[in-house]
Amino acid sequence: MSENNHSDDINWGPATGVGSMPGGDAREAARTVTGSFEDFVHLPELPARGPGADMVGRTLGLLVEVYARVEPSGWRVGDRPGRDTRRSHAWLREDLDALEEYTQGYSGVLKVQAVGPWTLAAALELRGGEAALGDAGACRDLAASLAEGLRGHLADVRRRVPGARVVLQLDEPSLTAVLRGRVRTASGYRTHRAVDRQVVEGALRDVLAAHDGPAVVHSCAPDVPFALLRRAGAAAVSFDFGLLTERDDEAIGEAVEGGTTLFAGVVPSTDAALSDPAGSVMGVRMLWRRLGLNPGSLADSLVITPTCGLAGASPAYARRALAHCVKAAKSLADNPE
């Protein structure tokens, strides 16, 4: 296990959000998140505002001495900070100001999200138009720049909300595709070669080490590499529970027994009819029984979340979904059997 896996010394809250929220009003999003969760809030992301507020653009704005601009094909490396970088900084500042306003005196857990090095390398184009993923040196530079940028960002968050226990979440939806050689080249006809697992693990470890505290890696794709993420130093793994198959059982059992916390995405992230809270966590109870794990450990080993970010939901549904996560977690704690 990596040394910065701090899951033992944190009391995670029972439920939280993944990251993105609908709409473009930072104060409204901060009010919703802080009003929904007593002890595990997160910094909302509002991609509907446009480039720079999106997951990738927001993280590119954190990079040190690496700049990017929006092209018709997506984000591309640039020579200097331009309008898109300034816009990214402005959106993030607005989000942090709103969060600071609604977390006066807050002393629970506070999660901030950034795109991880491999999803970033798959999304960012080099000057020639190909993804950074195809260039090992560019991948290394990107990971180093991200680690440095995160150190500054996390220090700013701690200054603004001094009573909170700050948790870093790296979003890695492309991780499985990177490991399996499924990321398409610019032409769309070929794919980039699979990246060696040890190289993937090493870069993740370096970026996670930028945070002196517990970190979560989130992926809403199938086949989450639980063991690799644990070795890289993730104290928790966040995933879409509905995408699990019995093939994942062994890795999940090992993760729980090794003290890794599971962020189980069980509440739909786009508008849907919500079942009763106990029904939402029925699959989790069944998994625990199948693995022969102690039901009493359920509440300690799990944080309940939506299946993914809520950017595609209506504002009313997003509020309902977050409240439902809290109720589902309570149902699990009150009745683990």
Side-chain angles (χ1 to χ4, degrees):
M1 296 282 270
S2 165
E3 285 166 31
N4 68 315
N5 185 325
H6 290 278
S7 72
D8 300 338
D9 59 353
I10 181 165
N11 183 15
W12 307 92
T16 192
V18 171
S20 64
M21 295 286 288
D25 184 337
R27 292 181 75 244
E28 178 59 30
R31 182 163 64 227
T32 298
V33 168
T34 54
S36 301
F37 303 112
E38 276 176 33
D39 39 20
F40 197 168
V41 302
H42 68 280
L43 175 64
E45 301 167 4
L46 301 172
R49 294 178 300 197
D54 61 299
M55 182 172 97
V56 170
R58 182 185 183 88
T59 300
L60 291 170
L62 295 174
L63 298 181
V64 175
E65 292 179 7
V66 175
Y67 310 108
R69 62 177 189 272
V70 179
E71 295 285 338
S73 54
W75 287 94
R76 184 172 295 185
V77 167
D79 296 321
R80 62 184 71 84
R83 186 187 60 194
D84 297 324
T85 302
R86 287 194 294 276
R87 192 162 42 196
S88 167
H89 291 167
W91 290 138
L92 182 58
R93 211 165 35 243
E94 189 178 293
D95 294 340
L96 287 166
D97 288 346
L99 184 77
E100 187 176 355
E101 180 183 341
Y102 284 98
T103 49
Q104 297 294 314
Y106 178 73
S107 60
V109 183
L110 163 59
K111 177 166 69 68
V112 295
Q113 304 82 217
V115 174
W118 295 107
T119 297
L120 208 56
L124 177 64
E125 297 172 359
L126 300 177
R127 286 174 180 78
E130 280 297 352
L133 185 64
D135 180 327
C139 289
R140 280 194 298 274
D141 292 347
L142 206 51
S145 174
L146 177 59
E148 195 174 338
L150 282 171
R151 273 191 282 272
H153 175 46
L154 292 161
D156 183 28
V157 171
R158 283 193 289 266
R159 262 196 311 277
R160 287 168 175 269
V161 194
R165 179 77 193 273
V166 178
V167 165
L168 169 65
Q169 174 179 306
L170 290 184
D171 292 319
E172 281 283 15
S174 302
L175 187 60
T176 302
V178 166
L179 287 165
R180 300 205 170 165
R182 291 187 187 154
V183 177
R184 293 209 167 278
T185 57
S187 70
Y189 295 124
R190 294 186 307 108
T191 55
H192 289 280
R193 282 221 299 270
V195 181
D196 180 89
R197 295 180 84 83
Q198 286 184 308
V199 173
V200 168
E201 186 184 316
L204 280 167
R205 183 181 296 111
D206 291 347
V207 175
L208 289 172
H211 175 46
D212 177 25
V216 187
V217 178
H218 166 73
S219 173
C220 47
D223 298 321
V224 175
F226 287 93
L228 183 151
L229 296 177
R230 293 172 59 221
R231 287 195 306 272
V237 180
S238 167
F239 55 96
D240 178 343
F241 189 83
L243 297 179
L244 289 184
T245 68
E246 295 205 5
R247 282 203 315 273
D248 297 303
D249 280 7
E250 191 180 338
I252 288 200
E254 284 174 3
V256 171
E257 286 173 350
T260 304
T261 302
L262 304 179
F263 283 42
V266 297
V267 177
S269 53
T270 49
D271 293 40
L274 293 171
S275 69
D276 67 302
S280 295
V281 287
M282 181 89 75
V284 177
R285 287 198 181 94
M286 285 163 62
L287 171 68
W288 239 244
R289 275 202 291 275
R290 208 164 66 230
L291 295 176
L293 293 167
N294 169 14
S297 71
L298 257 172
D300 293 335
S301 305
L302 274 184
V303 176
I304 298 298
T305 72
T307 54
C308 206
L310 293 165
S314 65
Y317 177 79
R319 282 193 295 275
R320 269 205 313 280
L322 296 183
H324 194 82
C325 287
V326 174
K327 289 183 198 136
K330 186 170 177 356
S331 139
L332 211 49
D334 290 350
N335 180 18
E337 302 288 346

